[in-house]
């Protein structure tokens, strides 16, 4: 089976009712990113940071995977498929995808502020100041904030190096190191980019599918079946 690597961003969850970041009406229009998603914000106003992620978690609990997430599960019948996601939601998991790597953390998890290896599932929507790890330290959202290292990037790069086909869905490709992952893919492999808006990229061999993820993934399935599946 060919290796299909899919890099996803906020756009794949948009049709599930989860807001993107940089679109009109996106989260970074409503909030200053450095005031809710940075170590400095956690230091100076942890209540606001907690409230921001609690709100996001509440919305996520009301959301369900859409046709885009589900279409990627269907592609596992034909490809060895690996998803590298910038999303902190669990909609790929709930759709049933098998291989998912979260680059920017997971909204439904908390981690210790003194031992990053202590990661816990959050029961329900709320994480509170005063909630502690087994060593007695405050728990924080298990999210990679701006200015923090991305621990999963090496594993993501090695997944990308093995790609035969690369698909990018619903990301503005603004945030590094995630946006540079295509550099690790072997030169000349086919790249498909699904987004209803124009996304600037300097990569060659890109086939643009200018659709929302739901429709776009269905089109992708048709194209991939025709081009790469011989039966
Ligand atoms: P952005 O909000 O930057 O980009 C979302 C992309 O999704 C845009 O290119 C939109 O055109 C596209 N889009 C909108 N609706 C769509 C739909 N229905 N189907 C498909 N695409 C759609 O989100 P990301 O690129 O994911 O990081 O942002 C990257 C990172 O920046 C996030 O992981 C987050 C953010 O700050 C952290 O919080 C650490």
């Amino acid at each position: 089976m060919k290796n299909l690597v899919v890099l996803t961003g906020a756009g794949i969850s948009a049709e599930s009712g989860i807001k993107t970041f940089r679109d009109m009406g996106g989260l970074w229009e409503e909030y200053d990113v450095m005031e809710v998603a940075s170590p400095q914000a956690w230091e100076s106003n942890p209540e606001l940071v907690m409230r921001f992620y609690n709100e996001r978690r509440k919305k996520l609990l009301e959301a369900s995977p859409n046709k885009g997430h589900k279409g990627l599960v269907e592609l596992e019948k034909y490809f060895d498929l690996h998803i590298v996601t910038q999303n902190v939601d669990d909609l790929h998991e709930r759709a049933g995808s098998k291989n998912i790597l979260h680059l920017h953390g997971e909204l439904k998890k908390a981690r210790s502020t003194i031992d990053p290896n202590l990661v816990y599932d959050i029961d329900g929507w709320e994480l509170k100041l005063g909630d502690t790890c087994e060593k007695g330290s405050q728990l924080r959202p298990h999210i990679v904030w701006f200015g923090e290292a991305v621990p999963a990037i090496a594993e993501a790069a090695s997944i990308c190096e093995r790609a035969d086909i690369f698909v990018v869905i619903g990301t503005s490709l603004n945030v590094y190191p995630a946006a540079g992952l295509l550099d690790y893919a072997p030169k000349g492999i086919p790249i498909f980019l699904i987004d209803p808006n124009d996304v600037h990229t300097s990569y060659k061999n890109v086939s643009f599918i200018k659709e929302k993820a739901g429709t776009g993934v269905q089109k992708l399935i048709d194209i991939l079946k025709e081009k790469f599946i011989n039966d």
Side-chain angles (χ1 to χ4, degrees):
M1 271 195 195
K2 284 192 185 302
N3 277 322
L4 179 63
V5 175
V6 184
L7 172 67
T8 63
I12 195 165
S13 297
E15 287 160 274
S16 295
I18 307 279
K19 280 191 176 182
T20 61
F21 297 95
R22 295 174 185 79
D23 288 299
M24 237 201 294
L27 282 171
W28 296 156
E29 211 172 72
E30 207 177 326
Y31 297 89
D32 178 339
V33 51
M34 294 312 281
E35 284 178 9
V36 291
S38 71
Q40 296 87 326
W42 179 245
E43 191 72 29
S44 62
N45 196 347
E47 292 84 5
L48 178 64
V49 175
M50 282 297 207
R51 206 178 325 132
F52 175 74
Y53 286 104
N54 283 342
E55 280 302 316
R56 308 273 76 71
R57 206 171 297 114
K58 226 187 243 177
K59 289 262 160 30
L60 176 56
L61 292 177
E62 292 160 8
S64 307
N66 64 52
K67 258 171 46 187
H69 301 104
K70 291 176 190 161
L72 293 182
V73 181
E74 189 184 334
L75 280 172
E76 288 185 3
K77 283 193 253 169
Y78 312 107
F79 296 97
D80 190 356
L81 192 146
H82 287 260
I83 296 173
V84 177
T85 187
Q86 296 166 84
N87 296 346
V88 297
D89 66 50
D90 63 345
L91 297 178
H92 285 305
E93 281 87 347
R94 281 198 260 153
S97 284
K98 282 207 287 278
N99 306 311
I100 307 153
L101 181 68
H102 285 271
L103 280 177
H104 293 162
E106 293 175 71
L107 191 51
K108 286 164 86 173
K109 294 186 178 171
R111 85 164 175 270
S112 163
T113 42
I114 53 157
D115 182 349
N117 296 317
L118 295 177
V119 175
Y120 304 87
D121 289 332
I122 299 172
D123 193 16
W125 61 272
E126 196 176 18
L127 182 65
K128 297 196 211 73
L129 289 176
D131 289 345
T132 54
C133 71
E134 67 217 49
K135 293 183 179 171
S137 276
Q138 177 63 48
L139 290 173
R140 57 166 273 181
H142 184 45
I143 302 283
V144 174
W145 286 325
F146 280 86
E148 294 188 314
V150 179
I153 198 70
E155 190 181 346
S158 95
I159 290 170
C160 295
E161 279 167 2
R162 298 195 299 271
D164 297 309
I165 304 163
F166 205 108
V167 178
V168 178
I169 308 175
T171 169
S172 61
L173 293 175
N174 262 295
V175 174
Y176 285 80
L181 279 171
L182 260 166
D183 289 337
Y184 293 92
K187 298 284 165 278
I189 64 165
I191 300 169
F192 296 88
L193 192 152
I194 301 173
D195 201 295
N197 300 305
D198 291 327
V199 177
H200 172 74
T201 164
S202 54
Y203 296 104
K204 305 266 182 309
N205 302 321
V206 180
S207 306
F208 291 92
I209 302 176
K210 208 170 170 192
E211 299 280 358
K212 291 183 176 178
T215 311
V217 172
Q218 292 310 310
K219 286 197 175 173
L220 175 76
I221 293 173
D222 293 343
I223 295 168
L224 293 181
K225 275 186 176 170
E226 199 185 309
K227 281 198 175 169
F228 301 103
I229 310 296
N230 318 305
D231 59 334

